[in-house]
Amino acid sequence: MLALLSVSDKRGLVPFAQGLVGLGYRLLSTGGTLEALKGAGIAATQVSEHTHSPEILGGRVKTLHPRIHGGILGRLELEADREEMKAHGIEPISLVAVNLYPFRQTVASGAAEAEVIEQIDIGGPAMVRASAKNFRHVTIVVDPDDYPAVLAEMEQQKSVGEATRRKLMRKAFAHTAAYDASISAWLSAEAGEPFPGELSLSFRKAQDLRYGENPHQRGAFYREHSAPSEPTVGFARVLQGKELSYNNILDLDAALGLVLEFPEHPAAVIIKHNTPCGVAVDDSLVKAYRTARAVDEISAFGGIVAFNREVDEATAQAMAETFLEAVIAPSYSQAALQVLAAKKNLRLLEAGAALASPTARPRAQLDGRSVSGGLLLMDRDAVEPELSWKVVSKRAPTPDEERALRFAWKVCKHVKSNAIVFASGSQLLAQGGGQTNRVDSVRIAMQRGGQALQGAAVASDAFFPFRDGLDEAARAGATCVIQPGGSVRDAEVISAADEHGMAMVVTGVRHFRH
């Protein structure tokens, strides 16, 4: 029996090869894999000796040979194939362990184009696909984590059963598909083409979820193949708590995206059902958290919290006062972890030092959303375009009002449309969103904020189509307003602001969030 081993990822290679030899396999191998086997004292034959053809073109061509692919693809149930293989001296290969050149790692290292292109594997995918196609006769192993199970089954049953071979076949085709997708994505990025004519997506399953958004829906969580330099939910380390749910992950991502808007100061964000219900910055994290929680204590119950500084003991003690679902932060002090350990179901995620950087920013990437029969893709609304804010009212905002407007504008981007946000220079005061008209959003925010809105700044994610929304904001106590502008009734709305003595700034940028 012949087995061909040619792997980039050499985890578990030696014990796997030793197990195969113990089961009576003869090994074929190439390059670094062959060296690793011989270095461990394991006998293996170089592929060029088996094919009687030298490796050529600097190793670019070595396994692309009839004695390799004929040995893999032979349909042993067909007499014609067996006779043809015999006539050409082709021996069947019954197990292939191959994983591909480290293309993604090479790209991530910042290597030059020529080096990256050399890491586009040709022979490897050909062998993987051939083995998977002929799974009835060939066991294809692309993941070193599968070595122990394959060996155990072979030892127990003297062969690999069809159910396992089918499972490995599916995994093999997914492996090559993901590999090709990563090459395609890199080429598109190099060409400055974010929306190519053909789009291939590649993600690795991180975990199965107990269910999706509701218990009757199935769910799973997939993440990218390698961690980006920016903080992400996908690669945050879970320190304690119950298994993350579908809704937890959505809300954690929303919380992380919003807290990244305030890198200069300690900030706390509380999210409920993908909507901000508390946002504040302060000179200490515990103050920021207590202020954020005070915005809407009722909604904060069962909320998701994000911080942009290490959680200390004081902040942990403040969090322990309220039932929370999950927290994401750069890190946690040992004292904080001891406090929160009593909350055994509380999920704690550590996103890493990048989240605490004063220069941290939301990740600029693409956002996708599935629709029936298709996929919508766009740039993430992460980085604010260069703004030329224009004062259009008779009165310009004061310095304090300008700080409040900037705070409100950052939060407004994260509230569902039609979004209305009332804020001071350091905290969210009230928000209204997800309504079919802007006036209702203003009224919802007024109901929530009450007297706290006196002297507030108000932000609107899109223009006021009529003056009624602005009139309501003024009635609530707002003294200044920021909005994109662009309505056919802008003059009417600006006139209303002047009537109320409000300062109005237009940005020229809309922040719809559906």
Side-chain angles (χ1 to χ4, degrees):
M1 296 182 292
L2 272 183
L4 193 157
L5 311 180
S6 181
V7 293
S8 171
D9 183 350
K10 294 179 175 57
R11 289 180 297 123
L13 170 66
V14 169
F16 184 55
Q18 290 170 333
L20 291 174
V21 171
L23 290 166
Y25 276 86
R26 291 180 292 117
L27 307 182
L28 300 177
S29 193
T30 62
T33 306
L34 181 64
E35 291 178 9
L37 294 175
K38 289 187 173 180
I42 301 171
T45 301
Q46 190 167 2
V47 162
S48 59
E49 295 178 24
H50 181 74
T51 61
H52 307 303
S53 296
E55 295 182 7
I56 61 173
L57 305 181
R60 279 188 164 195
V61 180
K62 46 195 173 190
T63 58
L64 297 169
H65 191 281
R67 294 199 75 192
I68 297 298
H69 285 274
I72 293 172
L73 284 166
R75 295 164 293 185
L76 302 182
E77 76 278 14
L78 298 183
E79 184 179 355
D81 277 17
R82 294 198 305 272
E83 290 296 325
E84 192 169 359
M85 291 170 71
K86 183 178 180 181
H88 292 283
I90 296 173
E91 188 175 352
I93 298 173
S94 57
L95 184 142
V96 174
V98 169
N99 47 64
L100 310 178
Y101 291 172
F103 178 83
R104 297 185 191 92
Q105 295 91 323
T106 305
V107 170
S109 73
E113 180 184 81
E115 186 179 348
V116 173
I117 287 175
E118 279 306 306
Q119 294 303 316
I120 297 177
D121 204 331
I122 304 300
M127 287 189 291
V128 170
R129 290 173 60 83
S131 303
K133 178 175 180 176
N134 202 27
F135 72 94
R136 295 185 186 281
H137 302 290
V138 181
T139 299
I140 172 64
V141 189
V142 296
D143 185 351
D145 290 340
D146 290 326
Y147 293 164
V150 169
L151 276 180
E153 187 166 332
M154 293 170 77
E155 289 167 353
Q156 292 169 9
Q157 303 179 13
K158 306 305 180 187
S159 64
V160 179
E162 182 173 336
T164 301
R165 282 184 276 111
R166 282 183 178 273
K167 178 181 177 181
L168 294 171
M169 173 262 289
R170 294 191 298 271
K171 196 167 188 176
F173 279 120
H175 184 63
T176 57
Y179 191 78
D180 285 340
S182 66
I183 295 170
S184 176
W186 175 74
L187 291 171
S188 295
E190 288 293 292
E193 185 181 35
F195 307 112
E198 294 284 341
L199 178 65
S200 299
L201 300 177
S202 173
F203 294 85
R204 184 184 296 274
K205 186 161 72 173
Q207 67 184 90
D208 288 307
L209 302 173
R210 284 186 298 157
Y211 51 80
E213 199 162 14
N214 298 291
H216 64 278
Q217 296 169 277
R218 293 177 297 176
F221 177 41
Y222 289 78
R223 67 185 180 195
E224 297 172 359
H225 286 268
S226 56
S229 57
E230 303 92 341
T232 63
V233 171
F235 287 92
R237 193 161 65 101
V238 180
L239 302 182
Q240 75 165 50
K242 293 193 299 185
E243 179 184 348
L244 288 171
S245 73
Y246 181 97
N247 294 328
N248 290 158
I249 294 168
L250 279 180
D251 286 342
L252 283 162
D253 191 57
L256 178 64
L258 181 46
V259 83
L260 280 166
E261 298 281 0
F262 305 100
E264 299 88 356
H265 307 284
V269 166
I270 306 174
I271 294 287
K272 192 70 170 288
H273 297 304
N274 228 234
T275 300
C277 62
V279 185
V281 299
D282 213 309
D283 56 3
S284 75
L285 203 63
V286 65
K287 289 180 182 178
Y289 172 70
R290 289 192 178 280
T291 302
R293 187 179 64 188
V295 173
D296 187 348
E297 297 255 9
I298 295 174
S299 296
F301 183 86
I304 304 288
V305 181
F307 296 107
N308 65 352
R309 298 291 188 271
E310 179 176 270
V311 174
D312 56 18
E313 184 177 10
T315 306
Q317 289 171 340
M319 284 195 291
E321 299 166 0
T322 303
F323 168 68
L324 300 171
E325 287 279 357
V327 181
I328 187 167
S331 56
Y332 302 80
S333 72
Q334 283 302 312
L337 290 174
Q338 289 175 4
V339 170
L340 296 173
K343 301 280 188 177
K344 296 188 183 300
N345 289 331
L346 175 62
R347 304 154 176 95
L348 297 184
L349 279 75
E350 185 177 77
L355 178 53
S357 169
T359 59
R361 288 293 182 272
R363 188 179 181 200
Q365 63 180 59
L366 298 179
D367 261 347
R369 183 177 296 184
S370 63
V371 297
S372 53
L375 176 72
L376 289 169
L377 203 63
M378 68 174 180
D379 292 321
R380 173 170 282 192
D381 191 6
V383 179
E384 186 68 46
E386 288 298 321
L387 296 181
S388 298
W389 284 13
K390 182 180 179 183
V391 178
V392 293
S393 56
K394 291 179 180 177
R395 183 176 74 80
T398 66
D400 284 346
E401 286 177 328
E402 184 175 341
R403 282 192 294 273
L405 289 170
R406 291 188 179 277
F407 190 98
W409 189 240
K410 288 179 178 181
V411 176
C412 189
K413 183 166 64 173
H414 297 265
V415 177
K416 299 289 185 182
S417 298
N418 291 304
I420 293 291
V421 166
F422 288 82
S424 69
S426 61
Q427 72 172 107
L428 168 68
L429 298 174
Q431 55 79 19
Q435 302 304 304
T436 53
N437 69 74
R438 199 160 296 277
V439 180
D440 280 350
S441 291
V442 178
R443 289 171 178 160
I444 289 170
M446 290 169 63
Q447 182 181 3
R448 288 172 172 166
Q451 289 301 308
L453 304 187
Q454 294 295 317
V458 63
S460 174
D461 65 342
F463 60 66
F464 289 94
F466 303 96
R467 65 172 287 168
D468 52 0
L470 188 77
D471 289 335
E472 289 292 283
R475 188 166 69 87
T479 63
C480 55
V481 59
I482 184 168
Q483 53 116 345
S487 167
V488 295
R489 292 185 174 84
D490 269 356
E492 176 186 330
V493 175
I494 294 168
S495 178
D498 289 334
E499 287 179 27
H500 295 297
M502 300 173 75
M504 177 177 282
V505 173
V506 298
T507 66
V509 176
R510 188 181 73 185
H511 282 308
F512 271 163
R513 188 177 183 86
H514 286 86

